[in-house]
Every structure is written in C-alpha cells, then in structure tokens.
Amino acid sequence: MIVDCAVYRDGHRTAGPDDYSDALAEARAAGDRAFVWIGLHRPTEQEFELVTEEFGLHPLAVEDALKAHQRPKLEVYDDSLFLVLKPVLYEPHGDTVSTGEIMVFLGDSFIVTVRHGAASPLASVRDRLENAPETLATGPTAVLYAVADATVDHYLEVARELQTDLEELEAEVFSPSSEGSQNTASRIYDFKRQILEFRRATGPLSAPMTRLAETGSGLTRVPFVDDEARPFFRDVGDHLTRVNESVEALDRLVSDILSAHLAQMSVRQNDDMRKISAWAAMAAVPTMLAGVYGMNFEHMPELTWTWSYPAVIAVMALLEVLLYRTFKRRDWL
C-alpha cells in the first residue's frame, strides 16, 4: 500500500499533484534540491508498476523490492540508486531478534522507500525530518542518510539490550545455586541463533556504507549522493563498525558461556558418578561378607562361636564407617 507521497521544496512539505509524473516534473522544475518522497508498505505488483514506470526504476531492483528477503546491499543503476537495509526489532521477554526490510530508490529529484515487516524507523524519520527543514532542504540524500542513520543507531540499542540479557544469562549459568539443565543449554543456543540473525542484518551493510562514504581521487563516486553528505555516511559507517564489533564479542561470549555450561554439566556428572561409585563400594563390603557366610559349607571359621553373628555385623559396620570417612575426606560424598 502507498503510505505517503509528498513534494518537498526548500525543506518544507508542499501540496503536490496526485499524479507521480506531474509531481516529479514539478519537483525537477522547482530546482533548489526539491524532490518527491514516496513511501510504500509491502506494495503489490499493480501498486508498484506505476511507480516503476514514472520513475524509471530498474526491473531487477523492483523485483527485489517486491519479493523482499534480500541481504543489505547497494546497487547502482543508470537512473537510480538502490539500497537495502534490514532494521532489527528485539523482544527482551522472548529473547528474539526479528528483522524487517527497507528498500530505498534514490534518483534525480526523487526517493522511494519500500518497507517490509514491522521493524521500521521510516515513520519517525519522516516526522523528524519534516521538523528539520534545514536538513530536508539539502535534497533526497538527506532522507537516505536519515534512514540509514536511524537503522544503525537502533542496531546500537539492540546490541546493548542483547549485552544486558547475555550478562543475566551468564550470571545464571555461573550461579553457585545453578544446577544446570538441558533447558539452560537450549536457551544459550537459542541466544546464539538470535545473535546470528542480528549479524545477518549488520555485517553485509558495511560495504554499502563504505561506498556511500567514499571521497577523494581514485575512488568511484556513487551517483545521486551529494558530496557534502559523504562525511555523514562515514559517521554511520563508524557506528556500524562498533555494532559489528559488539556482535562479534557477543558471539564469542555466548560460545564461551555454552562451553562453560557444558563443562559444568560434565563436572557435575563426574561428581555424581563418584558418589555412585562410593556408595556402591560401601554396599559391596557387607554384600561380600554376607555372601561368604551365606554359603552352605559345613567347615567355616567361627560357625559355632556364640558371638559370630554380632562380630560379623560389627566388622561390617566398622568397614562402612572407615569407607565413609575415607570417601568424605576425598569429597566423593
């Protein structure tokens, strides 16, 4: 569906014509970096067909925008620039990371944003930019930067939330009262999968941000992006580098926590086996003595002695006490 369509002149929203072609012609005629901004949410082929025709969007980019499920990337075509972003939404209660998609088409005096999924900063970005006309007055590049900056800034918030939840999980694993369970290992593994989902959104975006920030001789200039905006994209790239470093650290830490948890479970199982072995050894002594005296032989020592039975019981008890103290001293019990 078409969420919004507006023409911006000198940083201010104006009432433009309903027809896309007329709106684009009006923006180009106005000059002074006037542009058309169209926002769509999960458009159908029929809804997007008119936009494609009027703005001359490349069919490959249009196919990606309609089908979604793309990795972050930057594609340069003759008449437009195509950027894919994956905003992230984190649910702390369920420890789940979900991703959406934002496709941005940037061209001469126009920008088209296509949103898929619930995780999207587009509404807040448009409101913020419309309250900052001096920024919008710089042209559609400002919108591209604002969308990328809002997406990456939210990455930082998600990374902090993941770090907090991971610290809580780490404290639970290493708690002295923690007995460990298969459920704990499952939680750690699920957490690792969420970090992997987060990495799929942040990692591939580094190359597009680097290209958008390229300046100087010998570097390939990305068209439709104002040179004045490149330092701002470099700042976004710096923030993204921090995010990727945090994701790498989180991934290593959760792997270490999982290994430590499995090692703890192994140690506990060894302790249990030692206890079982100790109790089995203590049970073997009276079993052995009772087995010897339970054999029906006529000639056995002390069979006719009055105190034979109490003596054997006393020997059993003494040996049990000695074994118990020995195992207790060695922390087997």
Side-chain angles (χ1 to χ4, degrees), residues 5-321:
C5 176
V7 177
Y8 295 88
R9 299 180 190 171
D10 298 323
H12 296 280
R13 182 175 181 137
T14 62
D18 296 332
D19 184 80
Y20 296 150
S21 180
D22 293 341
L24 182 59
E26 181 180 324
R28 289 175 175 172
D32 296 329
R33 298 188 178 182
F35 64 95
V36 180
W37 181 0
I38 298 177
L40 302 101
H41 177 220
R42 299 182 64 182
T44 63
E45 292 186 13
Q46 291 74 19
E47 290 174 333
F48 209 52
E49 184 177 359
L50 182 59
V51 177
T52 302
E53 293 176 355
E54 297 296 344
F55 293 93
L57 305 181
H58 197 279
L60 291 177
V62 171
E63 182 181 358
D64 290 343
L66 289 173
K67 291 185 178 180
H69 303 294
Q70 305 295 316
R71 68 195 305 268
K73 63 179 181 178
L74 176 66
E75 299 286 352
V76 178
Y77 300 102
D78 293 336
D79 298 324
S80 63
L81 183 86
F82 180 60
L83 176 66
V84 179
L85 301 166
K86 294 183 76 70
V88 171
L89 182 64
Y90 180 58
E91 293 291 343
H93 301 294
D95 292 341
T96 53
V97 172
S98 58
T99 57
E101 289 186 52
I102 297 177
M103 286 78 167
V104 182
F105 295 87
L106 178 66
D108 180 18
S109 301
F110 74 86
I111 185 165
V112 178
T113 54
V114 183
R115 173 169 64 92
H116 293 267
S120 172
L122 287 179
S124 60
V125 167
R126 189 185 285 265
D127 291 341
R128 186 170 70 251
L129 286 176
E130 288 183 351
N131 290 322
E134 67 282 357
T135 301
L136 270 180
T138 60
T141 302
V143 179
L144 180 68
Y145 161 72
V147 173
D149 184 57
T151 300
V152 174
D153 282 349
H154 191 62
Y155 287 164
L156 291 169
E157 296 177 12
V158 172
R160 284 192 291 267
E161 292 176 353
L162 284 170
Q163 179 68 39
T164 300
D165 288 352
L166 187 56
E167 289 174 355
E168 294 176 357
L169 184 58
E170 181 182 20
E172 177 184 334
V173 169
F174 291 102
S175 174
S177 59
S178 176
E179 294 296 329
S181 65
Q182 187 66 30
N183 183 51
T184 302
S186 177
R187 284 185 58 200
I188 298 173
Y189 184 74
D190 287 342
F191 204 96
K192 188 174 180 65
R193 289 184 61 87
Q194 302 311 314
I195 293 176
L196 177 61
E197 183 70 18
F198 190 25
R199 176 186 284 177
R200 288 172 179 165
T202 64
L205 188 58
S206 296
M209 288 299 106
T210 300
R211 288 188 63 190
L212 289 171
E214 286 176 344
T215 55
S217 60
L219 298 176
T220 304
R221 180 182 179 276
V222 178
F224 309 110
V225 176
D226 295 334
D227 290 337
E228 295 84 356
R230 297 183 189 279
F232 295 94
F233 285 109
R234 188 159 54 247
D235 181 67
V236 175
D238 291 340
H239 291 176
L240 184 61
T241 299
R242 288 173 50 195
V243 171
N244 286 326
E245 290 174 350
S246 298
V247 172
E248 290 291 336
L250 287 171
D251 186 60
R252 289 195 299 269
L253 182 57
V254 76
S255 296
D256 292 342
I257 292 174
L258 180 58
S259 299
H261 173 68
L262 295 177
Q264 283 183 328
M265 291 186 65
S266 179
V267 169
R268 292 190 183 103
Q269 290 174 350
N270 289 336
D271 289 340
D272 293 339
M273 289 301 299
R274 286 192 302 178
K275 291 177 182 180
I276 293 172
S277 299
W279 286 112
M282 293 173 63
V285 171
T287 302
M288 179 188 68
L289 294 177
V292 170
Y293 281 91
M295 292 185 292
N296 296 322
F297 294 117
E298 182 177 350
H299 301 288
M300 293 186 68
E302 309 303 340
L303 286 177
T304 59
W305 185 37
T306 305
W307 297 99
S308 295
Y309 182 77
V312 171
I313 297 299
V315 170
M316 290 181 181
L318 177 62
L319 291 174
E320 290 294 300
V321 171

